[in-house]
Amino acid sequence: MQRPTPDSERWRLLNFALEHPRSAWQLIDYDARLFVRRSISKYKGSASSSISAAPQFHCVYFTCRAHYNYLLLSVKSLMLAARPRIGRVFIYHDRRDPLTRFQRKELSEILPSGSLFRGTRHAMSWGGTRLIDNELTAFNEILPQLGTNDTLVKIDSDTLFLSGKIFDQVDQSNADMVGQRFYSSPTSTEYAQGGCYFLKTRAVKALTSTYILKAALLSAIAAKPVLPELPEDFFITSLARSEKLSVSLIDFFTTPQGSHQNLSPETASAFISAAKEKHSVIHFEKNKSDIVILGKAPTI
């Protein structure tokens, strides 16, 4: 085997990994678990996805107890916008800040039957290798529940659904992944913003059956964050493209700018009505507490 030279890609990746040993180890740990899973699957034979009578959208939230008020409003808006098309909803809550029994009970009363609550593998974080591991591990756990023609929707707690139009768009799309376009200045590329994106079953299968160490290192170098802060949405989109999956980036949600804490109910309703004309989703990435004001508007 040829030894890596100081200017080779392998040498560059090795040096970058050594700068962030804990994050690199988490990636190695994920790939090791995947190797075991693939070996067992090869021995037993992989289970094929079932074909559901009608394609369904199964949803997965990653959340915590501190964000429960946001989560409750988001789930309510999802049910109002698309309940007949929703299969199961999977709530992955922070292992260090889990939902209470009362909170799980309250959510269960509005969620479709068969919905599940599970703890995350790692404590939640804004980005980085722990979050990537949490999401890909969850996607793999959910995969057996997906029909061949189903779609998995990844949703953040600070997201409100205004209408079911985006579900129509995804139904009509042949893309493996559909997301809100977002521009990365360091890489001069667009990717699917993480507030809400859609993965067809074949995409979930591809993403959860590929090793991620090299892909994550390359993504972090390209995007120029340190490895522990690699944005998971940028990475998931990059991984999808590296696996030759088709990615469709469209404009279906808006991110409000500024604070809306002082809006009256009437003004909040007017804001929501105006947003509905162009968008299916509002993502409160900047001012999360605004979801409590706008989420209770009569037009939601």
Side-chain angles (χ1 to χ4, degrees):
M1 178 185 292
Q2 186 177 5
R3 303 180 95 183
T5 59
D7 59 346
S8 70
E9 180 185 77
R10 288 171 59 198
W11 184 271
R12 188 162 55 105
L13 294 179
L14 177 61
N15 277 339
F16 190 73
L18 291 174
E19 290 176 10
H20 311 285
R22 179 174 294 183
S23 294
W25 176 251
Q26 286 170 344
L27 296 170
I28 293 169
D29 176 67
Y30 176 88
D31 281 352
R33 298 194 324 265
L34 174 59
F35 175 79
V36 172
R37 201 168 69 234
R38 288 173 63 166
S39 298
I40 293 173
S41 177
K42 184 181 293 187
Y43 176 75
K44 289 186 172 181
S46 57
S48 58
S49 300
S50 61
I51 300 178
S52 51
Q56 291 183 309
F57 291 87
H58 302 275
C59 304
V60 56
Y61 282 91
F62 296 91
T63 191
C64 61
R65 179 168 47 196
H67 289 175
Y68 177 70
N69 288 337
Y70 313 151
L71 173 66
L72 181 62
L73 288 168
S74 180
V75 170
K76 285 181 176 179
S77 72
L78 171 67
M79 293 297 102
L80 283 171
R83 187 179 192 103
R85 310 171 77 169
I86 303 300
R88 289 183 169 187
V89 177
F90 300 87
I91 309 284
Y92 279 80
H93 48 134
D94 192 335
R95 61 181 296 175
R96 289 190 181 174
D97 189 26
L99 300 178
T100 66
R101 182 179 300 179
F102 171 80
Q103 289 169 339
R104 296 196 303 272
K105 181 177 183 296
E106 188 174 23
L107 281 168
S108 295
E109 291 173 356
I110 58 176
L111 289 171
S113 61
S115 297
L116 296 173
F117 296 89
R118 290 172 174 163
T120 57
R121 180 173 178 83
H122 305 284
M124 293 295 290
S125 58
W126 171 83
T129 51
R130 289 190 306 178
L131 183 57
I132 290 168
D133 189 348
N134 277 344
E135 294 193 0
L136 289 177
T137 298
F139 292 170
N140 180 68
E141 290 174 351
I142 295 168
L143 181 59
Q145 314 298 323
L146 303 180
T148 303
N149 299 317
D150 288 348
T151 300
L152 180 64
V153 192
K154 185 266 182 182
I155 310 171
D156 283 353
S157 301
D158 55 353
T159 298
L160 282 180
F161 287 84
L162 303 178
S163 74
K165 183 178 177 182
I166 181 57
F167 294 90
D168 295 330
Q169 292 174 280
V170 174
D171 258 346
Q172 294 162 12
S173 173
N174 292 321
D176 298 311
M177 178 179 188
V178 178
Q180 168 66 38
R181 72 175 78 248
F182 201 80
Y183 184 73
S184 165
S185 298
T187 61
S188 298
T189 57
E190 292 181 330
Y191 64 93
Q193 210 280 341
C196 177
Y197 57 77
F198 298 74
L199 298 169
K200 300 292 178 66
T201 295
R202 57 184 175 273
V204 178
K205 190 174 296 185
L207 292 173
T208 57
S209 60
T210 187
Y211 297 113
I212 65 170
L213 174 61
K214 181 178 178 180
L217 293 175
L218 288 172
S219 291
I221 291 171
K224 296 184 171 59
V226 293
L227 187 58
E229 297 176 3
L230 174 62
E232 52 84 22
D233 45 9
F234 177 82
F235 172 71
I236 293 293
T237 310
S238 299
L239 187 63
R241 286 175 172 145
S242 70
E243 291 300 300
K244 310 301 182 188
L245 297 171
S246 55
V247 178
S248 174
L249 300 178
I250 58 177
D251 294 310
F252 67 91
F253 72 54
T254 182
T255 301
Q257 302 299 315
S259 175
H260 298 82
Q261 288 296 299
N262 297 319
L263 290 184
S264 66
E266 294 76 16
T267 309
S269 294
F271 178 91
I272 294 295
S273 296
K276 272 185 177 181
E277 293 180 8
K278 294 184 178 180
H279 306 286
S280 297
V281 172
I282 304 182
H283 183 209
F284 295 86
E285 185 179 28
K286 304 293 184 183
N287 298 290
K288 295 187 188 301
S289 57
D290 282 6
I291 193 174
V292 178
I293 304 297
L294 296 175
K296 294 180 179 179
T299 44
I300 287 291

